[in-house]
Amino acid sequence: MSDTQLTVTLSGGGIDDARAIVRALEGVFGAPDGLPADEQATVRTATFNSPAAPEAASAPREAGAPLSAPVTVTVQGTPQAVEAAGETLARAFTTRNEGAASGDQERERELLLVP
């Protein structure tokens, strides 16, 4: 994995929930490789090219519709990118930390976002 990439995996909720979560991260990471589009998918992913030292959004994005169901979000990338993503999502949604794993140069964190 490149040190400038953040991968976001989403399970649960609907397509609109997945898109809202990805959009919340765009302010920090820019546009992803594409918005989740498969309405029938049970797991959706988005990949961002992360800045070298991303910082969490200082304020939450304008709130859209609340999530329709709980969504499990796994973010994987550099420690700085994962931290910024986690903080940004915590400001935009109600979150619960479900665990983390660290490697030599990358980190993975799982969050549960609830309506």
Side-chain angles (χ1 to χ4, degrees), residues 1-2 9 20 28 42 47-48 62 64 70 72 79 93-94 109 112 114:
M1 168 181 255
S2 166
T9 306
V28 175
T42 57
T47 303
F48 295 88
E62 264 186 51
T72 300
F93 302 97
T94 302
R109 183 172 178 194
L112 179 65
V114 294

Side-chain angles (χ1 to χ4, degrees), residues 59-75:
R61 292 176 55 98
E62 264 186 51
L67 298 176
S68 67
V71 179
T72 300
V73 178
T74 304
V75 290

Side-chain angles (χ1 to χ4, degrees), residues 15 17 25 72 93 106:
I15 189 73
D17 296 328
L25 294 169
T72 300
F93 302 97
E106 66 181 28

Side-chain angles (χ1 to χ4, degrees), residues 8 11 16 29 34 59 67 83 87:
V8 181
S11 60
D16 291 333
F29 298 99
L67 298 176
E83 187 65 27
E87 288 178 23

